[in-house]
Amino acid sequence: MEYEAVIGLETHVQLKTKSKMWCGCANAFGAEPNTNVCPVCLGLPGVLPVPNEEALRLTVLTGYLLNCEIPRFAKFDRKSYFYPDMPKNYQITQYDRPSTANGFVEFEFGDGTTKVHITRAHLEEDVGKSFHFERNSGLDFNRAGVPLMEIVSEPDITSADMAYEYLNALKEILVQGGVSDCDMEKGMVRCDVNVSVRPKGSQELGAKIEIKNMNSFSGVRRALEYEIPRQIEVLKSGGKLVQSTRRWDDVTGITEEMRTKEDAHDYRYFPDPDLMPLAPDDAWLAAVKSRMVELPLARKQRFMRDYSLTKDQAESFKLDVEAGNFFEQAAALVLAKNLSEDWRSRELRGVANSVIQQWRPRLQAKNLSWADTIPGLSSLVGVTIPFVRGEINSGSYQQVVAEMFESGRRDPEAIISEKGLKQVSDTGAIEQFCDEVIAAHPGPAHDFQSGKSAALNFLKGQVMKMSKGKANPALVGEILERKLNA
Ligand code: ADP
Ligand code: MG
Ligand code: ZN
């Protein structure tokens, strides 16, 4: 019997706000322990939470970015449990009425794109952090009360690789949307992995096994690469799987059981009496919606479609929005020219290469922004088009770009003519060089005529040499071949 995996992910993401969820303490990573704390986030008796409106906005913005519905009613609930790093002994979260529901993430997978449906993205709060020393333990509450969003996926994921790509796509969307920095090193994204297996083709779900608290995407992939075959092996050898929670050990690369369903928590959820329900109105929702950005996948697809860029070129403008915007402005100059389809796409790809390979590294090296880039758009187009058209060679093209960046000049055409970089495309001159070279090298000429096509490169090299590197190489090849075949 063949088995298939069924995977659903619960992804926790810290929101990019200045202050915490219910108090004015800073939402900041790396401060001295217990310096960003107050009676509210320390859970002292009698304090009252005040919701952080930006966190509410970022949650709804996430809903829009993930194609979710935004209910007109949502509320906060208390999830009761005891843990030393959570002094209130309950976590404020959204239980049955979350701020967003029923969305999807679309991303590239395999040869095409695929979708993972989103059950909900709801808002809650992070807890503190425990540190275990040799003889005692310490608690740092700087993280307690940091706004935390939980994004729950439907069990649509079918492999370790698909889980990995989903997480990367989700992260790209959240970073692009300004919702979270998603800095894994700072623990801003953590993930619970739910995985079961079932006979291929079966509609029923197998026993859900949850691997808690993963803090890297590659860890998620490795844990699944271990856990899926383990579960299949259990079933194949006649064993039974029970709903349970497991822990991933990153060092040994295995999962081990922590607890089974019998000792699952009863969280005793109830509406938080300290917090009003949420009823976003049209104006508030519209303001949030206006912060929407183009989704990374849509952007990549648009760059391929509208500018005939290659996959790789479009990929490099997907997340680098400023470079992509700069390219789009330069591309507008090409599009305005009314070229044939072929030349239009050749010029656009050339312009994309100039942005990616010439402009971007130089700006990065000098720590310059795209806005104050000198030389600007028309200079970029001005140096790229002669290169694309074969009027200057690759070395000259790079030389002109370098010259413009060093001197701040914006007149590539003038530099090309001052330095005499234009390739000789005057066929009369090239014809003569070719005749001379063929006459001077009868051996290689004969070789070519008797079928050794590699001999052409030698002859081409001789013509280039004779022209001091200025002959248009494509033209030289054509003329030599014509003459030799005559
Ligand atoms: P809980 O509320 O106990 O955390 P849910 O059933 O709401 O559990 O689901 C939590 C996550 O587990 C979701 O991402 C969901 O898609 C996934 N999931 C649920 N059942 C299964 C299953 N049988 N196999 C794999 N994933 C599952
Ligand atoms: Mg869970
Ligand atoms: Zn506080």
Side-chain angles (χ1 to χ4, degrees):
M1 178 139 36
E2 286 233 37
Y3 291 89
E4 65 182 10
V6 175
I7 301 158
L9 299 179
E10 296 163 280
T11 311
H12 291 91
V13 180
Q14 284 184 353
L15 295 177
K16 192 175 174 174
T17 56
K18 290 203 178 70
S19 56
K20 291 189 184 180
M21 189 62 224
W22 315 113
C23 60
C25 293
N27 172 9
F29 178 86
E32 279 292 301
N34 298 307
T35 52
N36 293 327
V37 293
C38 73
V40 174
C41 53
L42 287 172
L44 300 189
V47 295
L48 286 172
V50 177
N52 179 332
E53 190 178 4
E54 178 63 0
L56 299 174
R57 287 190 210 103
L58 292 177
T59 303
V60 170
L61 177 58
T62 300
Y64 286 127
L65 293 166
L66 304 185
N67 308 287
C68 290
E69 294 156 17
I70 312 297
R72 292 303 183 109
F73 179 91
K75 67 180 172 69
F76 289 106
D77 303 276
R78 291 187 181 181
K79 179 182 183 180
S80 308
Y81 62 100
F82 171 78
Y83 206 75
D85 61 17
M86 198 187 62
K88 295 198 297 291
N89 288 336
Y90 60 84
Q91 180 192 33
I92 304 177
T93 182
Q94 295 184 304
Y95 180 52
D96 55 346
R97 303 299 294 266
S99 283
T100 81
N102 302 329
F104 64 86
V105 175
E106 189 176 14
F107 55 100
E108 289 180 296
F109 187 62
D111 292 334
T113 61
T114 190
K115 275 183 192 170
V116 167
H117 290 87
I118 299 297
T119 316
R120 57 198 281 165
H122 67 251
L123 185 52
E124 52 189 41
E125 57 178 330
D126 213 339
V127 295
K129 232 174 161 172
S130 309
F131 292 89
H132 303 291
F133 309 112
E134 205 173 320
R135 302 175 59 104
N136 52 16
S137 291
L139 289 161
D140 175 9
F141 290 104
N142 284 346
R143 199 179 69 179
V146 162
L148 192 69
M149 197 170 51
E150 176 170 345
I151 301 165
V152 182
S153 89
E154 290 289 300
D156 287 352
I157 301 165
T158 54
S159 69
D161 284 338
M162 189 173 169
Y164 182 78
E165 295 304 330
Y166 159 77
L167 286 169
N168 275 312
L170 183 63
K171 175 181 165 181
E172 286 179 2
I173 292 168
L174 298 176
V175 171
Q176 193 95 314
V179 168
S180 171
D181 288 333
C182 291
D183 189 332
M184 314 293 294
E185 246 91 84
K186 297 180 180 166
M188 290 181 184
V189 185
R190 278 119 49 201
C191 201
D192 297 338
V193 178
N194 301 272
V195 52
S196 60
V197 297
R198 63 182 174 193
K200 220 176 197 143
S202 158
Q203 292 304 306
E204 245 169 275
L205 288 172
K208 182 183 84 172
I209 288 170
E210 180 167 15
I211 310 166
K212 280 275 189 204
N213 247 323
M214 307 288 307
N215 52 21
S216 83
F217 296 170
S218 56
V220 168
R221 182 161 63 185
R222 284 176 63 217
L224 284 167
E225 281 166 353
Y226 171 84
E227 181 64 15
I228 294 167
R230 185 193 73 80
Q231 292 185 17
I232 292 175
E233 203 41 54
V234 170
L235 294 186
K236 277 193 168 163
S237 58
K240 213 170 150 312
L241 292 161
V242 291
Q243 188 172 327
S244 52
T245 303
R246 298 179 76 85
R247 171 193 307 118
W248 165 250
D249 187 324
D250 207 59
V251 178
T252 55
I254 64 168
T255 62
E256 52 191 4
E257 189 164 283
M258 290 162 72
R259 56 174 183 266
T260 55
K261 200 184 174 188
E262 284 75 60
D263 36 56
H265 292 122
D266 176 354
Y267 293 116
R268 294 169 195 271
Y269 286 99
F270 66 92
D272 192 311
D274 290 340
L275 289 160
M276 293 286 282
L278 302 165
D281 63 23
D282 290 345
W284 191 88
L285 290 173
V288 173
K289 201 165 199 172
S290 72
R291 292 168 64 176
M292 274 279 276
V293 296
E294 186 177 29
L295 292 176
L297 175 64
R299 184 173 175 83
K300 182 172 177 181
Q301 289 171 333
R302 182 170 66 81
F303 274 61
M304 290 172 70
R305 185 185 65 233
D306 291 359
Y307 303 113
S308 26
L309 297 193
T310 66
K311 237 179 154 164
D312 286 347
Q313 288 179 324
E315 176 72 28
S316 50
F317 294 136
K318 183 173 78 170
L319 300 178
D320 191 342
V321 174
E322 286 190 40
N325 291 348
F326 190 81
F327 163 77
E328 287 200 85
Q329 292 172 51
L333 302 178
V334 173
L335 292 174
K337 288 202 295 185
N338 199 12
L339 300 164
S340 73
E341 217 176 292
D342 181 40
W343 276 112
R344 187 168 59 232
S345 74
R346 282 158 80 164
E347 291 197 358
L348 288 169
R349 287 177 181 192
V351 167
N353 280 343
S354 288
V355 173
I356 297 164
Q357 292 164 7
Q358 304 294 328
W359 258 249
R360 181 156 60 191
R362 286 186 163 87
L363 292 181
Q364 278 168 353
K366 295 190 175 180
N367 221 347
L368 289 171
S369 80
W370 289 93
D372 47 45
T373 161
I374 299 168
L377 291 170
S378 58
S379 311
L380 181 140
V381 175
V383 67
T384 305
I385 302 312
F387 173 52
V388 170
R389 296 264 174 181
E391 293 160 18
I392 58 173
N393 65 27
S394 162
S396 306
Y397 157 70
Q398 289 178 45
Q399 188 186 339
V400 176
V401 174
E403 163 84 27
M404 290 196 293
F405 270 90
E406 267 157 41
S407 65
R409 286 180 65 173
R410 299 164 158 268
D411 48 355
E413 298 81 1
I415 300 173
I416 290 169
S417 74
E418 276 165 33
K419 297 196 185 287
L421 299 174
K422 240 197 172 98
Q423 298 192 116
V424 178
S425 289
D426 162 10
T427 40
I430 297 177
E431 298 252 356
Q432 197 181 332
F433 290 148
C434 289
D435 287 335
E436 283 176 36
V437 163
I438 291 171
H441 303 280
H446 181 76
D447 287 348
F448 177 80
Q449 283 159 337
S450 55
K452 286 187 193 142
S453 51
L456 190 70
N457 284 334
F458 171 79
L459 297 170
K460 218 166 133 178
Q462 295 304 309
V463 176
M464 292 307 292
K465 210 161 149 190
M466 199 172 261
S467 75
K468 300 199 171 62
K470 284 188 201 156
N472 179 334
L475 210 52
V476 172
E478 266 169 47
I479 292 174
L480 274 174
E481 247 183 283
R482 172 163 51 71
K483 286 186 184 296
L484 291 165
N485 287 331

